[in-house]
Amino acid sequence: MNLDQQCINTIRFLAVDAVQRAKSGHPGTPMGAAVMAYTLWDRALRHNPRHPAWPDRDRFILSPGHASMLLYALLHLTGYDLSLEELRNFRQWGSKTPGHPEYGLTPGVEMTTGPLGQGFASGVGMAIAERLLADHYNRPGHEVINHYTYAIVSDGDMQEGVTSEAASLAGTLRLGKLIYLYDDNDIQIEGPTDTVFSENVARRFRAYGWQVLGPIDGQGPEAIDTAVRSAQAETGRPSLIICKTVIGYGSPAQATAKVHGEPLGEENVRAAKNTLNWPQEPAFYVPDEVYAHMRKAIERGQAAEEDWQQRMEAYGRAHPDLAAKLDLQLRGDLPNGWDHGLCNLFSDGSQPIATRAASGQALNTLAQRIHALTGGSADLAPSTKTIIFGYGDFGWQEYCGHNMHFGVREHAMGAIASGMALHGGVIPYTATFLIFSDYMRPPMRLAALMGIRVIYIFTHDSIGLGEDGPTHQPIEQLMNLRAIPNMTVIRPADATETVEAWRAALLNTDGPTALVFTRQKLPVLDRTALPPAEGVQQGAYVLWDSTADSPEVILIGTGSEVHIALEAGKDLATEGVKVRVVSMPSWELFDQQPMDYRESVLPSAVRERVAVEAGMTLGWEHYVGLDGAVVGMRSFGASAPAEILSERFGITAHNVVAQAEALLRR
Amino acid sequence: MNLDQQCINTIRFLAVDAVQRAKSGHPGTPMGAAVMAYTLWDRALRHNPRHPAWPDRDRFILSPGHASMLLYALLHLTGYDLSLEELRNFRQWGSKTPGHPEYGLTPGVEMTTGPLGQGFASGVGMAIAERLLADHYNRPGHEVINHYTYAIVSDGDMQEGVTSEAASLAGTLRLGKLIYLYDDNDIQIEGPTDTVFSENVARRFRAYGWQVLGPIDGQGPEAIDTAVRSAQAETGRPSLIICKTVIGYGSPAQATAKVHGEPLGEENVRAAKNTLNWPQEPAFYVPDEVYAHMRKAIERGQAAEEDWQQRMEAYGRAHPDLAAKLDLQLRGDLPNGWDHGLCNLFSDGSQPIATRAASGQALNTLAQRIHALTGGSADLAPSTKTIIFGYGDFGWQEYCGHNMHFGVREHAMGAIASGMALHGGVIPYTATFLIFSDYMRPPMRLAALMGIRVIYIFTHDSIGLGEDGPTHQPIEQLMNLRAIPNMTVIRPADATETVEAWRAALLNTDGPTALVFTRQKLPVLDRTALPPAEGVQQGAYVLWDSTADSPEVILIGTGSEVHIALEAGKDLATEGVKVRVVSMPSWELFDQQPMDYRESVLPSAVRERVAVEAGMTLGWEHYVGLDGAVVGMRSFGASAPAEILSERFGITAHNVVAQAEALLRR
C-alpha cells in the first residue's frame, strides 16, 4: 500500500473506529470521501494547523456535517490541536468532537454544518468576502487577499433549495475561487439517489454558469488532483468537480444506504479492515509514516503564513493607510468614532418617519465610517431602505461595491451572510420583509449557534403594512425569532430607538441581531420630555410615569405599539389612574439585565400589566403573567388599509385602556 | 382591435384601474402577463365558473400572487361569482379581492399565493394528486381523472429554492400534465434580472428533465396557444413555456421596475390607455363583446363537467366499488370504521416504544382503511417510521403507490403536501426531523392560512435524540409551531397518546396538524391505572392526582417529559405533597375547551405550577404565569448520549421536584 493509500485508510478507519466506539454516527461518507478529502488537503489546501485563524488561509467546509469524523481525522492528522483522545471521545459530553462539526469548539472547523445545504451556501459567502476584500485592498504587486474556498458537498446538499439559490448567485457573481467537490455516491437514506433525483447535476450547474469537471474517479488521487488544478485555473467561474465515489467503501455493505448512518458493526469493521488490508488492532491506528507525511502540513502552513506576513509588511510599507484599515477589518473591530453622527440623526421635532427609513439613514451614516458593513436585500432594497448610497453594487464587474443584490433568495441570503461573517473582514447585513424570515430560519439558527455577528434587517413588521394582506403580514414571526437561543431581537419604537438598535447590533459580536422595523410612519418620541433612547441598550425602560408614585398599572409596548401604549397611558392618567408606560424593544437585552434593574422597570408587586404588540400574543405572559392582559393578534391578518386593520383587530389605545380598566376593576 | 386584444386590454385595465383606486398594488405583471393568462384561459383551461369545485377541472395557479388583479379580472370576466363591485373594492376590508389571492375566500382561487415559489411547488403537488388518483382509479375506457395543472410563474419564483426542489422532483416523477408558463420579463424590484440571475433557465429545467418550450413571444396569443398544445402533447415530462413579456406593457414606464409594485399614477394610466387605444372612461370598463366572448367559459365549462359526470356514471356502473371509494375520497370523507383497530394497538403492558415507532404502527393501521392517506419523508423514512408497508412507492413507474419519496427537500415537501390537499382526493402527510421544520415554515404557514388538512410528522423532537448534537436538536421549534395561527400541534406522551394524536389529526379538516414524536423509547402509560388516552382530544387532562383533595402543586408535562412529571409527582407525594400531574399534548386543543373544563384541569387558585418540556421555556408562562416554574431548555443542546444531556440540562424528575419544592417553600 503506498503512502497516499495509507493516509486515506487511516482517515477511513479513524472514522470507522470512532463511530463504532461512540455507538452512533455516520461511517459511510468518511469511507467514501476520504480520497477526495485527503487529496485536497494534501495537495491543494493552504492552511496552517498551528494557526487556524490566519486570515488568508484557504477555507474548507464539510457541507455534509454528519461526516464529521472525516474532518476530525484530517484535523488530527495534519496537526491541529485535536488529540487522538478527542477522537476516541467522539460524540461524548465535553469533547471537541461532537456529532456534527461546531465552529468555535474545534480548532480548524470553519463552520458548523449538519443541516444540509447550509455549508454549500455559506461557502459562497466566504468566497464573496474574499473577492470583496481582495478587490478593495489588493494593489498591483500586493496580493494580500488571495485564497480559495473549498467544500465537499453531498447528494443531500444538492437537493436542498438553498444550494440552488446559492449556486445560481455564485454563477452570476462569477466567483472563480470557489471550488466544490461533489461526493456523488448514488445513495441516500431512502435508497438509490436516482429514484428521487434523476436530474443531470452537471447540466444544472453549467446552466448556473459554473465550470463542471468530471464525473471523475473519486477514488483516484491523481484524477482529483488534476481536477482541482483545472478548477484553480478557471478564474471566471466557480467550479464543481463531480467525484464518483462509493459510500462505505471497503465495507461489505458498501454502496448501500445501510452504511450511511449507523456503526458498521464489529463484524463489518473486521471485514472492511481485511478488505483494505488494514490491521485489525489497535483501533484508532495511525502508522508513524502517516503522521510524518500528513504533519508536513504544519511546515507548509507556517511557510505559507510567513510568506503572507511578509507580503502584508511590504503592503503596509507601500500602503500604510489601507493596511491599517484592512487589519482593523480583519480583526472585526470598529474604527474609532464609528458611531459619530448617530445620536444627532433625529433631532427633537423630527417629522414622523417609518423606522425602516430611519434605519436607512442610520445605516448610511454608519457606513461612512465602518467600511466593513456590507450587505443587501433579497430583491426588496427600495422597500427595506438598505442601499448604502455612493458605495456601488457588489457584482462581477466591481467586487468592491458594498451593496449586494441577493435576488429573491432569502434562504441563501441568510447562509451567505453567515459565510461572510465567518470569513471575517466584513460585517454582513441582510434585508427582507419580516414575513420572509420564515424562508431563512435555518441559517439564522446556525448563526446563533455559531455566535457570529450577522445583522438581519426585517421591515414591514406587522399588519401595519396594510393592503398586502395576510400572506405578507407577520404574526408569529417576531416571537419565533425571540425563541431562537442567542438571537437578539430589537424592535424599536421610533427613529431615536432605531439608532440605538443599530448601535446594539454592531456591538453584539457574540451572536446575530434581528432588527425589526415598520413600513408605516411613526412619530418621533420627544426626547426632551421623555428619557433618552439609550434605554434600548437595557432592552426595556420606563418611557413615562404619570406620577412619582408606584404605578397601579404598567403598559408595555414594543415598536409601533409603544405609541399606542403611550396614548393609552395618557388617557388612563386623565382618569386618575397611576400608570407607567414601558418601551420594550428587546426581550433578550432586558432579560440579561441585573434583577434590580428589571425590578425597577417592572416592579414585581404590580401585577396589573397590559402588553401591546401587533404580533401573536403567545409568549407575552412572560411579562404579564396570568394576571395581566395582552393586546395583540390571535389570528392571521387581512387585506385592508392599516388603520382599518388596527381598529378591526383591536390594536388600539382604546382597547389597551379597556384592558387596563378591566384589570383594575378586578 | 380584434376581440382577443379587446379581452386582453380589458384585463390589463381592470388591473390598472383597481390598483389605482386602491392606491396600492402591482399593475406591472397583470399588464405584461395578460396575454399569457388570457390565452391559456380562453383556449386551454377546462373549468366551470359556475362550479369552481368540480373535481376533474384543470387547476390554475398564479404563483406571483402579487399580480392578483390578473386573476380577479379573469374570474370576473369568465363568470365566476365575483362582481365588478368586488374588483372596485380591491384590497379593502371585507372584499373578496385581497392584495394576494386567498383560497377559500374567492371562488375560483385554487390556492393562496404571494410568498414566491409556493405556487410553483404546490402545483407540483396538485399534479401528483391527479396522477395518483388517475393511476389508481382510471380503468380502460374510463378516464375519470384526467386534467392538467397550469401555473403562471415569475422570475421571483424561479429564484426561490423551493422552486428548484419542486422542479427537480417533478422532473424525476415525469409529471407530464404539469404545464407552467414562465413570465420572463427581465425585470425585478432591484432592477434588471440579469444582475442577480444570469443563469440559463431553459438549460436548468432541461437538466431537471422538463420539456422547455420557447422563449416565445409572450405578447402573441397564437404563439402561446401553440406552445400550450405542444406542452399538452408531451405526456412524459412536465413543460415549461418561456414567454418573453414586457412588465407594465403599455405604460410609459414599461420594462422598468417602477411599474412593479405601485399604482401607475393618473398620468401614466392615461398614457397607457392612449397607447393601447383604450377609452379613458369609464374606469373598470368592460366592452359588451368582451363579456359575451369570455363568458362562453360558462357554457364550455358546464358542458365539460356534464361530460365528466356522464363518464363518472358509466364508471359507477362498470366499477361501482371503485366509484364509491373515489367519491368518498374526493369528498374528503373518512370511510366508516376508519379508526378500527386503533384503540387496541397498544394494550396495557406494552413494551417501551418510541412515539415515532408507535406512530408508524398507527399510520399503517389507518392506511388499511383510509386509502386517501398518502405521503412520505424528506429522505428520512427509516427514521421517521413513515413507510406504509405493502402500498408501493409513488414514482413514474407506478403512480398509485402511496409512499412518496421527497428527497432532501423539506421545503418543497411542505408545499407539495399543500397542493395535494388542495387538489383533494388525498390526505397528505409529510415527515422529517423536528429540527428541519425550520426548512418548511412558509408552506406550513400557508396551509394554516388556507385551513387545509395536512399532517406533518416531526420526529426526533428534543435533546433526547442524543449524539447528533445541537444542529439536530430542536429547541425553539415546538413553540414556534404553536405560534402559527390555526396550526394544531400535538406532542403525545406515549404510544397510547400517539394513537389519539393521529385520530385528532385526521379529524382536523380545517387546518394542518403537526405531530411531534420522540426518537427515544418511552414507557407505555398503564391505562388500567391512569385515565384513558382519549384525553388527548381535549388537549390536556389530569393524568394523576396524589389525593382527592385540591392539589398544592400542579406539574404539567408534554411528550417524553410527561414521564418525568409523573415520576416527580410520585416523589413529591411520598413527601406528603398534594400533587397533580397533567399531560398536555396540545396547547391548541386545550385552549379551545370550555372554561370549566380548563378550570377543572388547571384550577386558577393553584398558582404553584411547574411545566416541564425539553424545549425552549419561552411561552410556558401562558400556563404557569409569573408564580410558577418552567423546567426546559434555555440554550442550544449538545452532542452526547441522551441520558447525559437530560442530566446536564436538568430535564429530570429531580429538578422538577426541586422546582416544585421551591415554589411550595415560598
Side-chain angles (χ1 to χ4, degrees), chain B residues 292-312:
Chain B
H293 178 70
M294 291 190 72
R295 296 233 160 138
K296 286 180 193 157
I298 298 172
E299 207 176 300
R300 284 199 307 270
Q302 283 174 335
E305 184 174 356
E306 275 162 27
D307 174 63
W308 176 75
Q309 275 164 342
Q310 284 166 14
R311 282 184 284 124
M312 277 294 277

Side-chain angles (χ1 to χ4, degrees), chain A residues 161 165 190 405 441 607 627, chain B residues 161 165 190 405 480 607 627:
Chain A
E165 296 178 4
E190 292 183 12
H405 299 280
R441 286 191 64 87
R607 287 299 187 92
D627 303 310
Chain B
E165 294 177 7
E190 293 184 12
H405 299 280
N480 284 354
R607 289 298 187 92
D627 302 310

Side-chain angles (χ1 to χ4, degrees), chain B residues 164-334:
Chain B
S164 298
E165 294 177 7
S168 176
L169 189 58
T172 299
L173 294 174
R174 306 189 187 184
L175 299 173
K177 308 188 79 178
L178 189 70
I179 299 175
Y180 283 2
L181 286 79
Y182 169 27
D183 177 29
D184 182 11
N185 64 31
D186 299 323
I187 286 293
Q188 55 195 92
I189 293 175
E190 293 184 12
T193 294
D194 61 4
T195 57
V196 291
F197 190 57
S198 65
E199 67 171 59
N200 185 322
V201 173
R203 285 180 74 174
R204 171 155 71 110
F205 274 72
R206 288 199 184 99
Y208 293 141
W210 288 49
Q211 171 180 236
V212 178
L213 301 164
I216 64 167
D217 172 14
Q219 316 287 3
E222 298 314 320
I224 294 164
D225 188 24
T226 304
V228 170
R229 284 173 204 281
S230 299
Q232 291 174 336
E234 167 61 68
T235 58
R237 290 180 294 171
S239 292
L240 184 74
I241 304 170
I242 301 180
C243 304
K244 294 303 291 186
T245 63
V246 178
I247 191 168
Y249 184 80
S251 161
Q254 73 176 32
T256 71
K258 233 195 110 33
V259 294
H260 167 80
E262 56 188 61
L264 296 188
E266 285 184 19
E267 195 177 326
N268 279 358
V269 172
R270 258 199 308 279
K273 288 182 177 176
N274 265 341
T275 301
L276 298 181
N277 294 313
W278 202 246
Q280 293 292 342
E281 297 293 336
F284 297 92
Y285 172 58
V286 182
D288 290 341
E289 53 271 38
V290 166
Y291 275 131
H293 178 70
M294 291 190 72
R295 296 233 160 138
K296 286 180 193 157
I298 298 172
E299 207 176 300
R300 284 199 307 270
Q302 283 174 335
E305 184 174 356
E306 275 162 27
D307 174 63
W308 176 75
Q309 275 164 342
Q310 284 166 14
R311 282 184 284 124
M312 277 294 277
E313 280 159 27
Y315 178 67
R317 287 188 296 272
H319 305 283
D321 291 355
L322 282 175
K325 279 177 74 176
L326 173 59
D327 186 56
L328 181 101
Q329 281 186 230
L330 289 174
R331 277 186 282 112
D333 290 346
L334 300 173

Side-chain angles (χ1 to χ4, degrees), chain A residues 22 24 26 91-94 97-102 112-118 156 159-162 164-165 168-169 171-172 188-191 194-200 203-204 206-208 377-382 404-411 435-436 438-439 441-442 445-446 448-449 467-477 479-486 587 607 609 616 618-619 621-627 634-636 638-641 644-645 648-649, chain B residues 22 24 26 91-94 97-102 112-118 156 159-162 164-165 168-169 171-172 188-191 194-200 203-204 206-208 377-382 404-411 435-436 438-439 441-442 445-446 448-449 467-477 479-480 482-486 587 607 609 616 618-619 621-627 634-636 638-641 644-645 648-649:
Chain A
S24 78
H26 300 77
R91 295 182 152 236
Q92 302 310 306
W93 179 267
T97 49
H100 294 80
E102 294 180 31
T112 300
T113 51
L116 290 170
Q118 301 302 322
Q159 291 165 36
E160 289 286 3
V162 64
S164 299
E165 296 178 4
S168 176
L169 188 57
T172 298
Q188 55 194 91
I189 293 174
E190 292 183 12
D194 60 6
T195 59
V196 292
F197 189 56
S198 66
E199 67 171 59
N200 185 321
R203 285 180 73 175
R204 170 156 72 108
R206 287 197 184 102
Y208 293 141
S377 164
D379 202 37
L380 288 170
M404 298 181 63
H405 299 280
F406 291 100
V408 190
R409 303 183 183 102
E410 299 84 3
H411 197 166
I435 191 73
F436 300 132
D438 276 3
Y439 277 74
R441 286 191 64 87
R445 183 178 209 264
L446 274 191
L449 179 56
E467 292 90 341
D468 271 351
T471 56
H472 283 58
Q473 289 160 355
I475 301 293
E476 69 277 23
Q477 282 64 30
M479 202 57 75
N480 285 354
L481 290 173
R482 290 181 182 133
I484 303 173
N486 198 35
W587 287 27
R607 287 299 187 92
R609 302 176 180 184
M616 200 66 175
L618 178 146
E621 291 92 347
H622 182 54
Y623 296 109
V624 307
L626 301 177
D627 303 310
R634 288 174 166 81
S635 69
F636 292 107
S639 173
I644 291 175
L645 294 173
R648 295 283 180 163
F649 289 105
Chain B
S24 77
H26 301 77
R91 295 180 153 236
Q92 303 309 306
W93 180 267
T97 49
H100 294 80
E102 293 180 31
T112 300
T113 52
L116 291 171
Q118 301 302 322
Q159 290 164 37
E160 289 286 3
V162 65
S164 298
E165 294 177 7
S168 176
L169 189 58
T172 299
Q188 55 195 92
I189 293 175
E190 293 184 12
D194 61 4
T195 57
V196 291
F197 190 57
S198 65
E199 67 171 59
N200 185 322
R203 285 180 74 174
R204 171 155 71 110
R206 288 199 184 99
Y208 293 141
S377 165
D379 201 39
L380 289 170
M404 300 181 62
H405 299 280
F406 291 100
V408 190
R409 303 181 182 103
E410 299 84 4
H411 197 167
I435 191 73
F436 301 133
D438 276 2
Y439 276 75
R441 286 190 64 86
R445 183 178 210 262
L446 274 189
L449 179 56
E467 292 90 342
D468 271 351
T471 57
H472 283 56
Q473 290 162 354
I475 301 294
E476 70 278 23
Q477 282 65 29
M479 202 57 75
N480 284 354
R482 291 183 182 132
I484 302 174
N486 198 36
W587 286 28
R607 289 298 187 92
R609 303 176 179 183
M616 200 66 176
L618 178 147
E621 292 92 347
H622 181 55
Y623 296 110
V624 307
L626 301 176
D627 302 310
R634 289 176 166 79
S635 68
F636 292 106
S639 174
I644 291 174
L645 294 173
R648 293 284 179 164
F649 289 105

